[in-house]
Amino acid sequence: MLKITTNTNKAHISVSSKGAQADIQVNNNPLKYYSLDAKESAREAQKQASIASQKLEEINQVFNNTQASLNTREEEILETLQEKQLEAIDAVNTAGALQIQAATEKVDEILSLNPADTNLSNLTEAGIETIQNAAFEKLNNPFFFGMSEYFNSAPNNLSWLKSEGQWNSKSVYPDYYDWLSEQRTKGTKQLYAWGYPSGDHTWTLTPNPQVGDPLYGWEPFRYSGTVTQVNGNTITFNNIYSTNNQTVTRDEAGDGEYFIAEFADIPVFLPSEITNTNYGYNYDYAWVINTTDETFRLPLKNGEETYIDWNSEQTILSLPFTVPFDSFVFVTCERKDNASDYGYITVNGKSCIAFENSAGYTVGSDTMQLLLKKGDVVNASGNSIFIFGKYYKAISNDSLYFYVGETIQNANLINAGVISEQLAGKLDSSNVKAYIVETYQNGASWYRIWSDGFCEQWGTITTNGGQYTSVNLLKSYSTNKYNLVLVDYVEGNANAYASSVQYQYNGRFTVYRNSGNTGLKINWNACGYIS
């Protein structure tokens, strides 16, 4: 046993040892150590510190590698974005260059007609910068195909096309025509036919429909009911146009691709389809595309044609009442007590059911709203009793236009309409008369439009003896007084009889061939002033 006691700086230290254990006391406070080899302890501590340092270095290395990887990825992303930005700028610059080229060519064309007018060169130079700026405006275009507006004056912009029932050429509006074709394709579905005993049909979307599947019918195709029972080649469905369930049988002869408007963003019909008036479908709200001539017709209405002038209120004192001007008419009637017959409100003698309660009941009044034209006559009939009425002027909107191409929103930028007007103003009318501004040819269909609005158009149609043939003009005339010439092309057929114009309208005409064989051709030519 070893025991050492010493005093250092007034601290009393006492060490005693017995075997491997050492007892140390500092000012009589005991401390215990179980290893007396200090060098060994130091070496162990140094070893652990070295391991810890190595681990820390490894962690730092991983961190640095990760940071470098992230920086590289960020650079790649930034580089990709910069490439895309440059591509977009190049595309816009290319579009601007094309516009500049087109405007310059137009100026050169006019200068060739009137070389003395050198002011046009200044117009070209002044327009280059604004046309370049205009190209960038395309990126923020808020308009879209299918959009329509009513304007009280013609927009000074060729991006808007007036709807007057005219047929418009794909060669003039290629993007819009292609968009209509896409809508037509989107709404065209393979349908499977099921026949009624009467010979009429309804159609399903699958050859083997299940309970709950929809049915479509009554061209133009629209939803007409839901399958309630399937029995082999026979199905039963609840027809929404009838109070009873109906049964139909598979008829593969009627299978085929048909257009269902509800599957497209907009209704796009073929000319052959708009002759069907089943269930009162109003084609005035539809687009029509002629895939043969590659032309299209815009809707004549968009649902915003008229509105009520509430400040023009007038009172209807009695019925019958003759509408003094185009009006929204509100008529309130009640049904006679204990009457078994229906009560009606009539317009020009045609009735609509106003009340149909069972006899023995006293019923209250009901008000009907009617949009009527000047001269229409409103009355009550059956068991309807007039109570009172009001009428208001129907205010019509102005001309309907559709957006058919890119436009420029900044009024300070040159657009196609402004360029056209400025160029037209530079012409010397004493030297330059009317000139051709638009031409079109597709197969046997042609037209040519002059700067003063004069339009020539011609084509070939096939007729049958004893039948009427209707022809839609590519461009509608301002009146039905345009010149129209028919020339029979009989190719030596001795059974060909004379043909004649039976009906002539602004945008179409009807030909009748008295008799003779089928498949006989007529060459026609029309000329006059368009709207």
Side-chain angles (χ1 to χ4, degrees):
M1 176 179 179
L2 174 65
K3 183 175 183 181
I4 301 173
T5 302
T6 182
N7 290 313
T8 304
N9 295 330
K10 297 182 180 181
H12 178 71
I13 301 175
S14 175
V15 178
S16 61
S17 176
K18 183 178 182 180
Q21 181 175 336
D23 293 332
I24 301 175
Q25 290 186 346
V26 179
N27 294 337
N28 297 320
N29 293 317
L31 298 173
K32 291 186 177 181
Y33 289 86
Y34 292 89
S35 175
L36 298 179
D37 193 341
K39 290 183 178 180
E40 181 65 25
S41 298
R43 282 194 295 271
E44 183 65 24
Q46 186 177 12
K47 179 181 178 181
Q48 295 299 325
S50 177
I51 293 174
S53 177
Q54 182 179 354
K55 294 294 184 183
L56 179 59
E57 185 176 350
E58 292 176 358
I59 292 173
N60 287 336
Q61 186 62 42
V62 171
F63 175 81
N64 291 334
N65 291 342
T66 303
Q67 186 65 35
S69 176
L70 291 175
N71 291 339
T72 301
R73 181 59 179 158
E74 288 177 356
E75 291 176 358
E76 292 176 353
I77 294 174
L78 180 60
E79 183 178 353
T80 300
L81 291 176
Q82 289 174 339
E83 291 177 355
K84 296 298 183 183
Q85 184 181 25
L86 291 175
E87 290 177 3
I89 293 174
D90 289 341
V92 171
N93 287 337
T94 300
L98 292 174
Q99 290 192 26
I100 293 170
Q101 180 181 354
T104 304
E105 291 176 353
K106 186 65 176 179
V107 171
D108 291 340
E109 178 185 348
I110 303 303
L111 280 173
S112 67
L113 299 175
N114 190 11
D117 197 343
T118 57
N119 290 331
L120 286 173
S121 299
N122 297 330
L123 173 63
T124 304
E125 295 174 2
I128 288 177
E129 181 179 356
T130 52
I131 291 176
Q132 287 175 326
N133 294 334
F136 287 93
E137 289 291 320
K138 294 180 180 181
L139 300 177
N140 299 310
N141 185 5
F143 303 114
F144 52 88
F145 286 162
M147 184 177 184
S148 61
E149 293 285 350
Y150 276 93
F151 297 114
N152 57 11
S153 61
N156 191 16
N157 192 309
L158 298 183
S159 296
W160 293 88
L161 178 61
K162 188 176 182 179
S163 173
E164 297 181 293
Q166 79 280 9
W167 289 90
N168 308 285
S169 172
K170 176 184 177 180
S171 63
V172 181
Y173 308 100
D175 293 342
Y176 198 81
Y177 180 91
D178 291 342
W179 174 72
L180 291 176
S181 297
E182 292 175 4
Q183 297 303 314
R184 174 72 191 185
T185 302
K186 185 185 297 184
T188 300
K189 303 292 181 182
Q190 172 65 42
L191 298 182
Y192 301 88
W194 302 79
Y196 294 93
S198 63
D200 292 331
H201 288 85
T202 187
W203 287 262
T204 59
L205 291 172
T206 62
N208 299 301
Q210 305 298 313
V211 173
D213 286 353
L215 288 92
Y216 299 87
W218 317 110
E219 295 182 77
F221 293 103
R222 63 187 68 190
Y223 173 77
S224 59
T226 303
V227 176
T228 58
Q229 184 178 349
V230 178
N231 185 15
N233 287 328
T234 300
I235 59 175
T236 301
F237 72 102
N238 60 331
N239 191 335
I240 63 174
Y241 300 108
S242 174
T243 58
N244 302 318
N245 286 351
Q246 294 184 312
T247 300
V248 290
T249 304
R250 187 187 304 277
D251 184 1
E252 295 180 355
D255 293 354
E257 291 188 342
Y258 300 95
F259 177 74
I260 306 178
E262 66 186 68
F263 286 100
D265 295 337
I266 61 170
V268 182
F269 295 100
L270 299 177
S272 59
E273 294 170 337
I274 63 175
T275 58
N276 195 318
T277 57
N278 284 343
Y279 286 88
Y281 193 92
N282 192 342
Y283 293 98
D284 286 347
Y285 297 94
W287 284 257
V288 185
I289 185 171
N290 188 330
T291 56
T292 302
D293 292 338
E294 292 191 321
T295 57
F296 64 90
R297 193 194 75 182
L298 296 170
L300 298 174
K301 300 177 181 179
N302 71 351
E304 302 174 0
E305 286 64 51
T306 55
Y307 57 92
I308 299 175
D309 179 6
W310 294 105
N311 295 322
S312 64
E313 178 181 299
Q314 299 289 330
T315 300
I316 299 175
L317 300 177
S318 63
L319 297 182
F321 169 73
T322 301
V323 180
F325 43 75
D326 293 355
S327 305
F328 284 92
V329 177
F330 296 81
V331 178
T332 301
C333 294
E334 68 178 11
R335 187 170 175 273
K336 295 177 181 178
D337 293 348
N338 300 317
S340 58
D341 295 332
Y342 291 158
Y344 299 93
I345 292 176
T346 66
V347 177
N348 298 332
K350 296 183 179 180
S351 302
C352 55
I353 298 175
F355 308 100
E356 55 175 326
N357 292 50
S358 301
Y361 290 88
T362 300
V363 299
S365 61
D366 194 8
T367 300
M368 301 195 69
Q369 174 185 329
L370 305 167
L371 176 57
L372 302 178
K373 296 185 297 182
K374 178 181 178 180
D376 287 341
V377 178
V378 183
N379 204 353
S381 66
N383 286 309
S384 288
I385 302 175
F386 173 73
I387 303 299
F388 65 90
K390 300 283 187 180
Y391 64 99
Y392 305 82
K393 285 184 179 179
I395 305 299
S396 297
N397 268 313
D398 302 293
S399 299
L400 178 61
Y401 287 80
F402 282 81
Y403 175 75
V404 292
E406 290 186 342
T407 187
I408 297 174
Q409 293 304 290
N410 189 338
N412 296 320
L413 300 179
I414 293 179
N415 58 42
V418 172
I419 291 176
S420 298
E421 288 192 356
Q422 290 179 342
L423 291 176
K426 298 295 181 180
L427 291 174
D428 185 350
S429 59
S430 63
N431 295 325
V432 180
K433 304 302 181 182
Y435 53 90
I436 296 172
V437 296
E438 182 181 336
T439 61
Y440 170 80
Q441 185 271 325
N442 181 38
S445 297
W446 305 69
Y447 70 71
R448 183 166 55 190
I449 301 176
W450 295 76
S451 58
D452 60 355
F454 188 76
C455 176
E456 305 166 277
Q457 50 190 315
W458 59 96
T460 301
I461 59 174
T462 301
T463 62
N464 297 320
Q467 294 185 9
Y468 292 90
T469 303
S470 182
V471 179
N472 292 315
L473 296 172
L474 296 177
K475 293 292 183 180
S476 294
Y477 290 104
S478 57
T479 71
N480 65 343
K481 304 302 181 183
Y482 53 90
N483 186 60
L484 180 60
V485 177
L486 303 180
V487 178
D488 290 316
Y489 183 61
V490 299
E491 298 178 301
N493 193 319
N495 293 322
Y497 290 80
S499 56
S500 60
V501 176
Q502 296 294 306
Y503 306 102
Q504 186 168 326
Y505 306 97
N506 296 40
R508 61 186 175 89
F509 62 88
T510 301
V511 175
Y512 179 76
R513 183 178 289 279
N514 290 331
S515 185
N517 295 338
T518 62
L520 299 177
K521 294 181 179 180
I522 294 177
N523 295 325
W524 62 269
N525 181 285
C527 57
Y529 286 90
I530 60 178
S531 302

